[in-house]
Amino acid sequence: PYWQADDTRLVHFIGKDNIVFHCLMFPAMLMAHGNYTLPENVPANEFLNIEGDKLSTSRNWAVWLHEYLEDFEPDLLRYALATMLPETKDADFNWSEFQTRVNSELADVLGNFVNRTLTFAARFADGKVPELVDPSDADRAALEELATFPDRTGKAYDTWRKSEAVFETMALARLGNKYFNDTEPWHTRKSDPQACANTIHVSLQICAALSVLMEPALPFSSARLRGMLNLEGVRASVPGGAAEGIGWDDAGKTLLQPGHALGEAGILFTKIEDDVIEEQKAKLGATPDGASDKDQPYEPVKDTIEYDDFAKLDFRMGTIVEAEEMPKSKKLVKTVVDLGFEKRQILAGIKEHFKPEELIGKRVAVVANLAPRKMMGTESQGMILMAEDREGALFLMNSGGENGSVIR
């Protein structure tokens, strides 16, 4: 029923290398069957690298969730990834930026605003929501802007712009911080207690709205914040949750009534120290015994062959005189190699390692007697030899011999 019900909305979240299958082949299969829901949208992300290098589980160049959860809360990674999603171009996850996102945004902006608000409410409003009386222009402006956030943030999620949605949510926390600073409740608590009470009231409404709007990216922190606010009855966002209660659009309204008793305040986010981040960086590429990927054994030598097998291969030196990307291919570069006695068109799977313009003029070793082969409708008339290190990086093989000279 999940795949065939009339009210099912099917969305495929994929990587860019699967676009053709999910937009053409798979829908065609579903249409041929006739009883399956078709995808209404296929949001395709670009690639995510780690610390400037391609993710590789075989090289342990990855962040393993079971290890991550031993050191951090899940929401921190959810938030950091949401802010650096490769939605329109390849992106890079690095631990230093992760630390900055947590410390400068979650702790200093969102967490700081929540803590200031709840601390003031506990000390100067008896731990309850004070009444809003004769609100100032600043009070009304903050509440009016607060009312726009469910729609602003929701539209970003509805159009699969997840990074924008998270930035909008954080913008609400920034609004709260600015409003709190501008109204200066630490001064008005003595000079104008009602103005201080109004600041606490409005700030608590912003906190309540945040506890709803930040749930897609920060579900565990949202639940903790609602506990601090003693806010109950918020509808779950997971399928099968309660249909009644406080929903997304309600977040722009008054969620906490005057006199409502608040829960106990706490630290929502704790800053991460440098040494913790350095430990995470050290895990990348490490093996169970603590050695780095550089210490790993080389690829085993292949089975022994006879000299006659080797003699069948014709290796020649050449110079790349032309190079361009192959359309619709993520790996192939089309080159023209001058072998002295003739020029050959050779397709090389090196697009992820070299830019075409970097290849022109480079000296290369070529397998000259390899049978021609068509790839993506284009003939390749040989093979460019490459050296591949233990990390999967490719390097050109060079020599001072003239074009066409035999490599023995």
Side-chain angles (χ1 to χ4, degrees):
Y2 190 84
W3 296 97
Q4 297 177 310
D6 292 337
D7 60 350
T8 291
R9 294 181 60 197
L10 179 60
V11 179
H12 293 183
F13 292 95
I14 62 168
K16 62 181 178 182
D17 50 340
N18 288 324
I19 289 176
V20 173
F21 177 80
H22 281 269
C23 290
L24 295 176
M25 300 176 186
F26 190 33
M29 294 164 62
L30 297 177
M31 294 170 70
H33 185 281
N35 292 325
Y36 280 94
T37 301
L38 297 178
E40 68 175 51
N41 207 319
V42 186
N45 279 332
E46 306 285 316
F47 292 145
L48 182 70
N49 298 320
I50 297 180
E51 296 285 352
D53 198 358
K54 289 196 304 181
L55 188 149
S56 171
T57 56
S58 61
R59 295 187 292 115
N60 196 33
W61 200 260
V63 177
W64 301 98
L65 287 181
H66 67 283
E67 293 181 356
Y68 166 88
L69 291 172
E70 293 175 359
D71 301 316
F72 303 106
E73 294 291 326
D75 279 0
L76 306 185
L77 186 59
R78 291 172 65 96
Y79 178 80
L81 286 175
T83 61
M84 58 183 79
L85 282 171
E87 293 178 323
T88 57
K89 61 181 180 180
D90 289 358
D92 186 67
F93 172 87
N94 67 79
W95 282 109
S96 295
E97 184 175 355
F98 169 83
Q99 181 187 24
T100 299
R101 294 290 186 184
V102 172
N103 292 355
S104 300
E105 297 176 11
L106 291 181
D108 284 347
V109 178
L110 178 52
N112 181 55
F113 170 65
V114 169
N115 185 258
R116 297 166 83 189
T117 299
L118 288 167
T119 299
F120 257 75
R123 293 179 61 188
F124 306 115
D126 297 324
K128 298 179 180 179
V129 179
E131 188 175 0
L132 183 66
V133 178
D134 192 21
S136 67
D137 289 343
D139 299 332
R140 287 192 294 269
L143 290 173
E144 288 172 2
E145 188 168 357
L146 163 63
T148 68
F149 274 91
D151 185 58
R152 288 163 53 177
T153 311
K155 282 182 177 177
Y157 278 123
D158 282 344
T159 51
W160 320 118
R161 302 191 310 274
K162 295 177 287 296
S163 293
E164 180 183 327
V166 171
F167 290 140
E168 285 286 2
T169 306
M170 190 56 65
L172 178 56
R174 297 185 193 280
L175 166 68
N177 265 321
K178 184 178 186 306
Y179 165 77
F180 199 94
N181 289 335
D182 290 347
T183 54
E184 301 181 324
W186 53 90
H187 291 319
T188 58
R189 69 182 181 85
K190 292 183 177 179
S191 61
D192 189 347
Q194 185 56 58
C196 177
N198 286 351
T199 295
I200 296 172
H201 176 98
V202 173
S203 297
L204 284 170
Q205 303 304 336
I206 295 175
C207 285
L210 283 167
S211 77
V212 176
L213 299 182
M214 68 193 229
E215 181 166 337
L218 301 164
F220 299 97
S221 304
S222 295
R224 286 205 305 274
L225 177 52
R226 288 197 291 269
M228 296 179 196
L229 297 170
N230 194 22
L231 177 61
E232 299 178 347
V234 176
R235 294 203 304 265
S237 59
V238 297
E244 301 299 326
I246 298 171
W248 187 269
D249 292 335
D250 298 319
K253 306 172 185 176
T254 298
L255 296 182
L256 301 173
Q257 299 302 317
H260 172 83
L262 301 168
E264 184 177 350
I267 302 299
L268 200 56
F269 301 102
T270 303
K271 289 190 174 184
I272 301 173
E273 300 298 331
D274 292 345
D275 59 333
V276 176
I277 293 300
E278 291 305 316
E279 289 178 5
Q280 300 303 319
K281 290 180 180 179
K283 293 180 181 180
L284 291 172
T287 60
D289 60 5
S292 72
D293 187 65
K294 294 288 187 181
D295 300 322
Q296 295 311 296
Y298 290 89
E299 183 175 324
V301 175
K302 295 181 179 180
D303 293 340
T304 301
I305 63 172
E306 300 296 329
Y307 176 78
D308 290 344
D309 295 323
F310 168 76
K312 293 177 182 178
L313 297 171
D314 189 345
F315 300 109
R316 302 289 181 122
M317 285 305 303
T319 300
I320 298 177
V321 293
E322 297 179 26
E324 61 182 272
E325 293 184 0
M326 277 285 290
K328 301 181 181 180
S329 173
K330 66 177 183 178
K331 292 184 178 181
L332 293 177
V333 174
K334 182 168 70 173
T335 70
V336 174
V337 180
D338 184 356
L339 295 177
F341 53 87
E342 66 181 18
K343 293 180 180 179
R344 296 274 189 91
Q345 176 177 277
I346 300 178
L347 305 185
I350 57 177
K351 187 175 179 180
E352 297 174 334
H353 301 266
F354 300 94
K355 295 180 180 179
E357 58 269 21
E358 298 173 344
L359 295 169
I360 297 176
K362 296 293 185 181
R363 305 273 292 144
V364 292
V366 172
V367 182
N369 64 335
L370 193 65
R373 177 187 176 191
K374 277 199 171 183
M375 293 183 280
M376 300 187 70
T378 301
E379 185 174 79
S380 181
Q381 301 162 338
M383 176 182 291
I384 296 175
L385 297 180
M386 292 277 173
E388 182 178 1
D389 67 13
R390 286 168 288 170
E391 295 187 351
L394 297 181
F395 302 89
L396 295 171
M397 298 176 62
N398 199 356
S399 171
E402 66 176 345
N403 289 345
S405 58
V406 179
I407 302 173
R408 301 190 187 278

